Amino acid sequence: MRAFEIIPFENQYAKDFYDLNIEWLETYFYVEAFDEEVLSKPEHYIIDKGGYIFFAKSHENILGTVALMPTSSPVVFELTKMAVLPNERGNQIGQKLLQYCIDFAAAHNFEALMLYSATLLENAIYIYRKFGFKELPLEPDCPYKRSDIKMELRF
């Protein structure tokens, strides 16, 4: 596994955030209008609203990304927009990003992290459960059409 560091959002990486997520969505699902809007304006929809974006970086290469988006509760954040370069998948970069977000949330006194996913992503659901996420009822007005599962990790 290649050594990497996890760094916070900088505007110079906005295109990496967009490209990684669009590639992932096109590979596994499709790009919804909500995705396109958020991914094309990460500062507006995530950073400026009190959220966070992190990147796995090795030398000058961005290997993966993840975001913590604010929700209607100021102490619950949505874990979202996690994507890893195709040739780096299977190298635990996503798991390291996930652990970083969990540690970050605990250090910042968040009450919970929640996420939306799809059960067809069996490996992802297995990893979320391994990290302590529990399934919650999926609300009818879920923002993602592709999602059929909602999970939460309480601190």
Side-chain angles (χ1 to χ4, degrees), residues 9-28 30-31 35-42 46 53-55 60-66 81-87 89:
F9 179 83
E10 291 180 31
N11 210 20
Q12 65 182 329
Y13 303 122
K15 183 172 176 1
D16 294 288
F17 182 73
Y18 180 90
D19 290 345
L20 283 164
N21 276 283
I22 292 295
E23 185 282 327
W24 186 89
L25 287 166
E26 289 176 343
T27 297
Y28 293 100
Y30 51 91
V31 180
D35 296 313
E36 178 67 37
E37 185 68 16
V38 171
L39 293 172
S40 63
K41 299 174 186 165
I46 300 172
I53 298 173
F54 303 108
F55 296 94
E60 295 306 310
N61 300 316
I62 297 298
L63 309 177
T65 188
V66 66
K81 310 303 179 218
M82 185 184 294
V84 174
L85 283 173
N87 63 327
R89 291 179 189 148

Side-chain angles (χ1 to χ4, degrees), residues 17 20-25 28 39 53-54 63-68 78-85 89 92-102 115-116 121 124 127-128 131 133 146:
F17 182 73
L20 283 164
N21 276 283
I22 292 295
E23 185 282 327
W24 186 89
L25 287 166
Y28 293 100
L39 293 172
I53 298 173
F54 303 108
L63 309 177
T65 188
V66 66
L68 297 176
E78 178 186 352
L79 179 81
T80 188
K81 310 303 179 218
M82 185 184 294
V84 174
L85 283 173
R89 291 179 189 148
Q92 298 187 337
I93 293 168
Q95 290 186 56
K96 301 274 194 237
L97 285 166
L98 178 57
Q99 185 64 60
Y100 186 88
C101 288
I102 290 168
L115 61 87
Y116 295 97
L121 300 170
I127 289 167
Y128 296 140
F131 278 81
F133 283 81
R146 66 183 169 268

Side-chain angles (χ1 to χ4, degrees), residues 129-143:
R129 286 192 170 115
K130 182 174 104 172
F131 278 81
F133 283 81
K134 307 281 186 227
E135 191 169 345
L136 294 176
L138 185 67
E139 62 267 42
D141 61 343
C142 171

